[in-house]
Amino acid sequence: MAKTGTTTQGLRTAIERSGYYPALVAEAVEAAVGGEQIASYVVHQETTFDANEVRRHVTVLVLTAHRFIVSHTDEQTADTTSPTPYATTSTESVKLDRISSVVVSRVVANPESYTPGSLPREVVLTIGWGAVSRIDLEPAACGDPNCEADHGYTGSSTADDLSLRVSEAGDGPDTVRQTLAFAQALSEATAATAAPGR
């Protein structure tokens, strides 16, 4: 379930509504936001199945005038480090001028009859700021099919710090709409930061 909005109280309400350790999540996010005014946010809870276990995960994205804040909270079962189940929460604060890419991938059913303004079936929001990069390599080749020379490798490097996937079937149309609204607000904020004279 994802919620979006623009107030501190709205953010707290969305975290509480998610039902996922709200006191823990809210404290971590509010400490990271500090006294800044919230421009936009998304709260997304995801449930995954790992063998015979059900695990929950919540991601909170917050946009302020100067920063992008991301918080992840995961629950863990008892293990060798802890005799009882536990949760891990982390927050990262990124200055808007460090964000190098905001990628919005839309999956649209029946594209031949697409009407502008229609919601996509699925949205993947990928945000990069240089903390994590993925390198994809493959052997390089030349145009000669009989060539046996070693041409080294070719590849690409992709910023892939955060990827959030929401779907109409799994999360509902409001979640898809809210994720698109947050992505637009973040794109506009990073464009404004990069504008000359700023």
Side-chain angles (χ1 to χ4, degrees):
M1 173 199 297
K3 300 290 176 194
T4 188
T6 58
T7 67
T8 302
Q9 184 56 46
L11 174 59
R12 179 174 272 283
T13 300
I15 290 170
E16 289 171 356
R17 211 175 285 140
S18 78
Y20 184 83
Y21 306 123
L24 173 66
V25 174
E27 181 180 52
V29 172
E30 289 170 2
V33 171
E36 286 192 74
Q37 186 174 5
I38 295 171
S40 186
Y41 63 82
V42 173
V43 177
H44 181 256
Q45 182 182 324
E46 183 178 17
T47 302
T48 57
F49 301 92
D50 182 17
N52 295 330
E53 298 174 0
V54 176
R55 292 189 184 204
R56 296 180 301 164
H57 172 88
V58 69
T59 300
V60 180
L61 309 179
V62 179
L63 175 64
T64 71
H66 305 286
R67 297 183 299 148
F68 164 68
I69 298 161
V70 58
S71 174
H72 296 288
T73 304
D74 294 287
E75 64 183 359
Q76 308 291 331
T77 57
D79 58 22
T80 56
T81 64
S82 175
T84 59
Y86 62 98
T88 304
T89 188
S90 63
T91 58
E92 183 171 1
S93 175
V94 181
K95 289 183 179 180
L96 290 178
D97 62 3
R98 289 217 29 229
I99 295 179
S100 56
S101 66
V102 178
V103 181
V104 180
S105 300
R106 295 170 169 90
V107 177
V108 177
N110 303 313
E112 69 281 354
S113 60
Y114 176 78
T115 304
S118 299
L119 280 181
R121 184 174 69 194
E122 179 179 309
V123 170
V124 179
L125 172 60
T126 305
I127 303 167
W129 58 91
V132 177
S133 293
R134 183 182 68 227
I135 299 176
D136 295 317
L137 295 175
E138 61 185 37
C142 68
D144 182 357
N146 297 319
C147 180
E148 295 181 10
D150 181 357
H151 295 284
Y153 288 89
T154 185
S156 62
S157 175
T158 308
D160 196 15
D161 296 302
L162 172 81
S163 190
L164 182 72
R165 177 188 171 274
V166 296
S167 69
E168 187 176 20
D171 302 292
D174 286 345
T175 299
V176 173
R177 190 175 293 108
Q178 292 163 349
T179 303
L180 288 171
F182 182 85
Q184 182 175 347
L186 181 61
S187 291
E188 290 171 356
T190 56
T193 301
R198 295 237 358 162

